[in-house]
Amino acid sequence: MTPAEQAGTPAEQAGTPAEVVGPLVRGVGVLRRLTEADGALSPSALERATGLARSTVDRITGTLVRMGYVRPAGRDLVLIPRVMELGNAYLAALRLPALLGARADALADELDESVSLAVADLDGIRFIHQATRRRALSVSFRIGDLLSAERTAPGALFATEWTEAEWTQWRRRRTTDPKNASFPVVPPVPPIPPIPPASGRKPAPPSPSFTERVERARRDGWALDDQLIEPGLVAVSAPVRHPDTGRIACVASVVSHTSRHSAADLRTSLLPRLRTTVKAMEADLRAAPPEQRGPAPAGLATWTTASKHELGRDFVESLARGLTVLTAFDEGHPALTLSEAARATGLSRATVRRALLTHEHLGLVTTHPDQTFTLTPRVLDLGFPPHARTSLPRLAEPHLRSLAARLQEPTALAVLTADGKEIQYTAGATAGRVLTVHIPVGTRLPATTTSLGRVLLATTATPLPPGLAEVRTQGYALVDEELESGLRSVAVPVRDRTGRPVAALNVATHAARRTLEDCVHTLLPALRATADLVQTDLHTASRFTPVPPT
């Protein structure tokens, strides 16, 4: 366990319950180590990081590959976007990103600064929404990143509501982890260089202690981060309170750097606008309709038995079932009873009970007096942050490489330029041929003479350009030796969660290698299957995080 896990939850401190599922504990540990390594580790590195036997690592990672959470990439094992469905379940059940995210985005646009929403996670804070400015010098935090409370402005606000037991937990963690090793996304506190006695300069006054900042936040109702995380980074934060309890539901922050705003300037110029937005957020929470429960999803884990029959002992069924239990939660089911979780997954009550007890032991689930279970922010530890700042080309690249290797033909991803007259290549994969198509990323070509451009124009342009009615009807574009003699290509659109085409995929070939019929009957089905894979990843990754098309 990491120092954070050792400090951990009350259940962890009390020891391991007898009903905890060991393979599930070990599988969660593997996901956490992969997440801490930004999504990629070799099996031998996982073996060292987890302390597990190589055979155990292989069985766990083989199961995660089967689940679509991990894929082999050369010598490494890499987290893939589908793993985000675990974090998506927490964010959907929480409802705060869906209810408040648009307000945060609008504030970021208005101020031209980054805006974040964070929730408390034991003695840390965890981001649940980020509206980040895309500029050369920008904030690199991601949804799911965990920061220590004492190094942040939100932490001081959350600590105003800590119980004595929570303060004791914080002091214990500070003692056992003085270097903040359990918060790897935050750089260590830089040492203060000594001032030479002969310099004549006075030493800087000591920074306020965390407890002093907490008392100030309690008094003021807002908090300031004056370069607590690293030099140059400043932030101002205000609490968003739950309408029913009056307690802090989340904290909204405006983040900048000292070349744009001093800490004092944040207070005078940005805090008033932040507070106005926070009031609007609280009004949104008061007006939010209750969750629409409806029937719970059913049979989520029925595929695990078939996988066990196919793979035998190499498939860790208890791990797969335990992780699937987490995905039973959603916006309509933020809290589940044991019976509801069993119906949603198609698993027996006994299996679900042991899985939920294990998740509670690991800090991923909380139980309540009404016998319901809810997810905690720690679910975001399971693979979410490495993909929280992804782009469409990055999502598509492994699928393009796989398609190019299977067909032995080059593949590409492109988007329309803003004026709709050209396409821009954003990703591609080559094939091992002497005569091949190689168009570098960034290249622009006329949209009307390329299959990529035509399929995008046919699905987005209004009115429909001449000659593209058939392309719109059939859902693909086939171009035969129009851009260059001998070059044939077929393209299909890639659609976002709303069904809007945002990019296109194509396969290119030489006329001597593929007939037009072969392009339609062989290349097109494979291309469509690949587009489906890219769309699935895009829909999962973009549920709570923006995925730019370039």
Side-chain angles (χ1 to χ4, degrees):
M1 286 187 176
T2 64
E5 290 167 2
Q6 290 169 354
T9 63
E12 288 169 344
Q13 297 163 18
T16 303
E19 291 183 279
V20 159
V21 182
L24 180 54
V25 172
R26 292 187 283 274
V28 167
V30 166
L31 281 176
R32 281 176 165 164
R33 298 298 86 76
L34 282 167
T35 304
E36 291 167 1
D38 208 28
L41 278 176
S42 68
S44 57
L46 268 174
E47 187 180 356
R48 292 190 298 271
T50 60
L52 299 173
R54 178 57 180 270
S55 60
T56 302
V57 169
D58 289 344
R59 291 182 67 221
I60 288 172
T61 55
T63 302
L64 296 174
V65 168
R66 180 72 169 197
M67 296 185 73
Y69 291 169
V70 169
R71 66 174 171 84
R75 296 183 178 181
D76 286 342
L77 292 159
V78 178
L79 292 172
I80 54 180
R82 185 174 176 180
V83 75
M84 296 177 76
E85 71 179 13
L86 301 172
N88 283 344
Y90 164 72
L91 294 171
L94 183 66
R95 298 185 74 200
L96 293 177
L99 292 172
L100 308 181
R103 296 279 187 190
D105 295 343
L107 181 61
D109 290 339
E110 177 186 338
L111 301 179
D112 194 26
E113 300 290 352
S114 296
V115 175
S116 65
L117 300 177
V119 295
D121 187 350
L122 296 181
D123 58 356
I125 68 110
R126 199 178 291 271
F127 294 114
I128 59 167
H129 185 82
Q130 289 278 356
T132 305
R133 300 295 86 190
R134 296 186 71 180
R135 53 168 67 105
L137 192 61
S138 61
V139 180
S140 62
F141 289 133
R142 307 160 299 185
I143 294 176
D145 278 341
L146 176 67
L147 281 65
S148 58
E150 67 273 12
R151 298 280 298 278
T152 68
L157 289 164
F158 286 121
T160 63
E161 297 183 342
W162 282 0
T163 64
E164 186 54 41
E166 289 168 319
W167 278 104
T168 300
Q169 164 61 32
W170 174 75
R171 296 186 187 98
R172 182 185 300 116
R173 192 261 298 164
R174 293 278 290 169
T175 301
T176 58
D177 184 23
K179 295 184 178 180
N180 270 8
S182 49
F183 301 92
V185 299
V186 181
V189 179
I192 300 175
I195 297 176
S199 69
R201 289 189 291 125
K202 294 182 179 180
S207 300
S209 68
F210 180 54
T211 53
E212 290 172 330
R213 290 194 295 110
V214 171
E215 288 308 309
R216 185 178 301 170
R218 192 192 311 276
R219 180 185 68 243
D220 297 340
W222 55 274
L224 197 64
D225 170 1
D226 188 1
Q227 306 179 79
L228 294 169
I229 294 173
E230 68 178 15
L233 186 67
V234 290
V236 62
S237 301
V240 180
R241 297 191 177 275
H242 195 282
D244 296 333
T245 65
R247 292 179 61 84
I248 299 175
C250 66
V251 169
S253 302
V254 179
V255 186
S256 188
H257 58 83
T258 51
S259 296
R260 294 175 60 85
H261 293 281
S262 67
D265 188 35
L266 289 180
R267 175 181 178 181
T268 57
S269 62
L270 301 188
L271 178 60
R273 189 63 193 88
L274 173 62
R275 282 180 147 171
T276 299
T277 296
V278 163
K279 288 182 180 178
M281 289 178 173
E282 291 175 339
D284 290 342
L285 292 182
R286 287 192 296 272
E291 65 269 7
Q292 301 297 314
R293 284 193 66 83
L300 294 174
T302 53
W303 63 274
T304 59
T305 300
S307 297
K308 183 66 175 179
H309 288 160
E310 180 180 342
L311 301 178
R313 68 179 306 275
D314 290 332
F315 182 77
V316 186
E317 191 173 18
S318 57
L319 168 59
R321 288 177 166 178
L323 292 177
T324 302
V325 167
L326 298 177
T327 65
F329 297 83
D330 58 26
E331 59 269 28
H333 302 86
L336 290 173
T337 65
L338 181 58
S339 297
E340 289 171 335
R343 283 196 298 272
T345 58
L347 300 172
S348 69
R349 281 174 55 93
T351 298
V352 171
R353 179 175 179 275
R354 293 192 66 198
L356 288 170
L357 286 175
T358 303
H359 290 317
E360 184 181 18
H361 169 68
L362 295 171
L364 302 172
V365 162
T366 298
T367 56
H368 301 276
D370 62 355
Q371 303 302 306
T372 61
F373 299 84
T374 58
L375 302 179
T376 76
R378 285 197 166 190
V379 175
L380 293 171
D381 268 341
L382 308 184
F384 200 92
H387 291 289
R389 281 284 183 89
T390 194
S391 64
L392 182 54
R394 184 179 171 188
L395 291 177
E397 281 169 354
H399 300 298
L400 293 178
R401 290 194 295 268
S402 177
L403 180 63
R406 186 163 70 254
L407 298 178
Q408 281 299 292
E409 302 287 5
T411 64
L413 176 79
V415 297
L416 275 177
T417 56
D419 60 10
K421 295 181 180 179
E422 296 179 308
I423 59 162
Q424 180 177 350
Y425 285 79
T426 57
T430 58
R433 290 186 180 273
V434 175
L435 182 62
T436 188
V437 178
H438 178 63
I439 301 177
V441 169
T443 299
R444 293 190 176 197
L445 294 174
T448 55
T449 59
T450 61
S451 62
L452 291 160
R454 287 185 183 178
V455 79
L456 285 171
L457 289 172
T459 51
T460 61
T462 303
L464 184 65
L468 295 183
E470 185 179 6
V471 174
R472 174 175 288 184
T473 300
Q474 63 195 14
Y476 70 90
L478 179 62
V479 171
D480 183 24
E481 302 189 75
E482 293 183 37
L483 182 66
E484 184 175 327
S485 297
L487 179 62
R488 285 176 177 159
S489 66
V490 58
V492 297
V494 174
R495 301 178 184 273
D496 65 12
R497 290 178 61 85
T498 67
R500 180 175 63 93
V502 292
L505 291 178
N506 86 338
V507 174
T509 187
H510 190 274
R513 291 204 299 265
R514 306 272 185 176
T515 65
L516 291 176
E517 291 76 15
D518 194 26
C519 288
V520 173
H521 297 298
T522 302
L523 299 186
L524 180 60
L527 184 61
R528 280 177 162 160
T530 298
D532 288 343
L533 294 174
V534 174
Q535 287 176 165
T536 297
D537 284 351
L538 175 61
H539 298 172
T540 302
S542 64
R543 186 172 180 187
F544 293 102
T545 63
V547 177
T550 59

